[in-house]
Amino acid sequence: MIKKEIRESYLDKRSKMSKDDVVNKSKAIYNKIINSRVYKECYDLFIYVSNFNEVDTLEIIKKAWDDNKLVAVPKVEEKGIIKFYYINSMKDLKRGKFGILEPKTLIEGVPTGKSLFVMPGVAFDKSKNRIGFGGGYYDRYLFKFRKAFNIVAICYDYQLLDSVPSDVYDVKPDYIFTESQEI
């Protein structure tokens, strides 16, 4: 299958997940993340705000605040470009492009060696290749900082395939966490 077909198929599967499945699987992934070395050692967390049955990131964000970590979330600036801005509470978010919660704040986060980046995706493989949503936003952003920090991808078990097509400009995560695996 090509990227577009995989993307459509797996977005459809995700849209059909029950609320209980999302909650239970997200809780297992949450536990893996917060107990990981890369989370415990990070100073700030660059993370997307979950939507549309994605792995729930809201609990991870709240835990980061409880652990006195800074939290930065993405905002679409223009076609193909995102920047991350620090937020201090959920009140710092509003609906933006694509109906996704984005920061109202304008204090830009700049990742360092002590940052942890949590990457979204539609499908991944065991070689850590990723199929995103097709806009290239994360690949463009991460390419600028590639070796500066650890990148973690979170997804459900069924989103982890044997192989997905990749391109030279696709940025791979360092780790992938699902409800039952850590790669």
Side-chain angles (χ1 to χ4, degrees):
M1 283 202 277
I2 60 171
K3 281 186 176 187
K4 182 179 178 188
E5 292 169 336
I6 293 170
R7 184 177 297 114
E8 289 172 359
S9 174
Y10 281 82
L11 284 173
D12 184 59
K13 284 181 185 184
R14 197 176 73 198
S15 74
K16 293 177 179 170
M17 289 178 67
S18 72
K19 188 155 186 81
D20 285 346
D21 262 359
V22 171
V23 168
N24 293 331
K25 292 172 190 258
S26 292
K27 183 175 260 191
I29 294 166
Y30 164 87
N31 285 323
K32 282 187 171 39
I33 289 273
I34 66 157
N35 289 307
S36 69
R37 176 191 56 79
V38 291
Y39 173 81
K40 289 178 180 179
E41 292 177 358
C42 81
Y43 171 77
D44 53 0
L45 184 66
F46 288 69
I47 189 168
Y48 64 98
V49 180
S50 55
N51 220 345
F52 313 117
N53 280 354
E54 289 176 309
V55 173
D56 181 10
T57 60
L58 299 179
E59 294 305 315
I60 299 168
I61 291 169
K62 291 174 188 173
K63 175 67 172 153
W65 286 327
D66 289 346
D67 292 339
N68 295 312
K69 297 179 188 294
L70 298 175
V71 175
V73 298
K75 177 178 174 59
V76 175
E77 295 291 324
E78 56 187 84
K79 186 171 174 58
I81 305 297
I82 55 173
K83 290 185 180 178
F84 283 75
Y85 296 96
Y86 290 115
I87 60 170
N88 297 308
S89 78
M90 294 300 176
K91 292 178 184 173
D92 291 341
L93 299 171
K94 67 176 182 176
R95 293 261 172 226
K97 294 187 181 191
F98 312 112
I100 296 170
L101 289 172
E102 293 185 336
K104 295 187 278 188
T105 55
L106 294 176
I107 302 170
E108 188 175 352
V110 178
T112 68
K114 294 296 277 178
S115 300
L116 177 61
F117 194 95
V118 179
M119 164 193 280
V122 177
F124 298 87
D125 69 20
K126 295 176 181 172
S127 297
K128 300 180 185 159
N129 294 306
R130 166 188 175 264
I131 294 178
F133 296 91
Y137 290 89
Y138 279 84
D139 291 316
R140 274 186 213 91
Y141 183 86
L142 290 170
F143 188 78
K144 293 186 289 189
F145 301 103
R146 180 58 200 115
K147 293 298 177 187
F149 49 81
N150 287 303
I151 301 171
V152 170
I154 55 178
C155 66
Y156 304 113
D157 281 336
Y158 73 85
Q159 293 174 285
L160 188 59
L161 311 177
D162 289 333
S163 177
V164 299
S166 66
D167 296 307
V168 68
Y169 53 81
D170 292 337
V171 175
K172 293 182 179 187
D174 300 303
Y175 308 94
I176 299 175
F177 294 112
T178 73
E179 66 267 27
S180 70
Q181 299 179 65
E182 230 176 277
I183 297 175

